[in-house]
Structure formats: C-alpha cells, structure tokens
C-alpha cells in the first residue's frame, strides 16, 4: 500500500476514473470519454491531465504522434489514501469512531451488516 499523500481534486478524479475503467487510453479516447459526462472543453481536460502527470497519478508515453495515458495510482490505493486523510481530519485517525458514525447514521442492508461482521471477524483472527 502506498504511504505517500496524494491530493487529487474532484475534477482530476473524474479523469482518473476513466483510466481506472480502461487503461491505457489515448489522449483522444480519454478526452472523448470525459466529455460524455461533463461540460468540460478539451483544453480543460488536458490541463487536468497535466496536473495528474505532475502529481505522478498518471503516466504518459508517446507512440509516434499519439500520447497514451495510464493510471499510476490504483482505485484501491486512492480510496485508501483519501479515506485515511478523511479519518485523520474528521475522526483524529480513529477508524472505530468513523465506523460508529456510519452505522448510527446510515441504513445498512442485511448484506452490508453481514459483510462488516465477516470483515471484523477476519481482522480479529489475523491479529
């Protein structure tokens, strides 16, 4: 698991999500996909890609005159880092406080409850 911090804006995340669905993608493919669900222009998307490159969240390679992009940060890695950041900011790093807050305020399905039970049992057994 990555230990480094990475700060990705909501807009950058929309671009990254496309690369998590399918990777690698050409610049044109990626731009077309993002434009299907946003009102962003091509220059805006290219700016977001440049930012993601600077943050080492994506990589770019060139084949002839075509740029091809791939995600360097997996969805699971990003979720962990973003979740850890949220835990630290709002719950002083206490996972149990976060889970307690969710359980008390969310309607969990029977399947979700069972899944959480199994996960906690597994974590307890691995100690």
């Amino acid at each position: 698991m990555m230990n480094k911090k990475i700060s990705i804006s909501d807009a950058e995340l929309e671009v990254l999500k496309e690369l998590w669905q399918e990777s690698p993608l050409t610049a044109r493919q990626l731009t077309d996909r993002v434009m299907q669900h946003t009102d962003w222009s091509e220059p805006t998307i290219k700016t977001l890609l440049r930012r993601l490159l600077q943050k080492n969240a994506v990589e770019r390679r060139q084949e002839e005159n075509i740029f091809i992009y791939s995600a360097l940060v997996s969805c699971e890695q990003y979720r962990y880092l973003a979740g850890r950041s949220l835990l630290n900011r709002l719950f002083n790093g206490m996972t149990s406080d976060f889970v307690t807050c969710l359980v008390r305020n969310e309607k969990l399905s029977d399947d979700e409850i069972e899944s959480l039970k199994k996960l906690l049992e597994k974590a307890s057994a691995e100690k």
Side-chain angles (χ1 to χ4, degrees), residues 19-82:
L19 289 171
W20 289 334
Q21 286 183 15
E22 185 176 342
S23 195
L25 290 172
T26 66
R28 170 71 8 226
Q29 291 170 323
L30 188 52
T31 301
D32 288 348
R33 286 174 185 228
V34 173
M35 289 174 81
Q36 286 178 11
H37 60 84
T38 68
D39 59 357
W40 302 338
S41 66
E42 187 171 337
T44 297
I45 297 167
K46 289 188 177 183
T47 296
L48 294 170
L49 270 171
R50 272 193 301 280
R51 290 181 190 163
L52 288 166
L53 283 165
Q54 291 169 347
K55 294 176 180 185
N56 293 316
V58 300
E59 69 179 348
R60 176 180 71 190
R61 71 179 194 278
Q62 188 170 354
E63 290 183 7
E64 297 178 17
N65 291 333
I66 299 171
F67 286 119
I68 300 172
Y69 293 87
S70 299
L72 289 176
V73 175
S74 72
C75 182
E76 183 177 334
Q77 289 170 324
Y78 178 72
R79 284 179 176 172
Y80 173 77
L81 292 171

Side-chain angles (χ1 to χ4, degrees), residues 56-127:
N56 293 316
V58 300
E59 69 179 348
R60 176 180 71 190
R61 71 179 194 278
Q62 188 170 354
E63 290 183 7
E64 297 178 17
N65 291 333
I66 299 171
F67 286 119
I68 300 172
Y69 293 87
S70 299
L72 289 176
V73 175
S74 72
C75 182
E76 183 177 334
Q77 289 170 324
Y78 178 72
R79 284 179 176 172
Y80 173 77
L81 292 171
R84 176 51 49 198
S85 175
L86 177 71
L87 280 174
N88 290 339
R89 285 192 331 269
L90 299 180
F91 297 93
N92 295 322
M94 299 295 296
T95 305
S96 60
D97 289 352
F98 174 68
V99 173
T100 299
C101 179
L102 283 178
V103 169
R104 286 186 178 157
N105 294 290
E106 292 288 322
K107 287 192 179 240
L108 300 175
S109 71
D110 290 341
D111 288 344
E112 289 172 316
I113 292 168
E114 192 58 37
S115 179
L116 284 171
K117 283 181 184 177
K118 287 179 182 175
L119 189 60
L120 291 171
E121 287 170 5
K122 181 180 177 188
S124 180
E126 290 177 352
K127 284 193 164 192

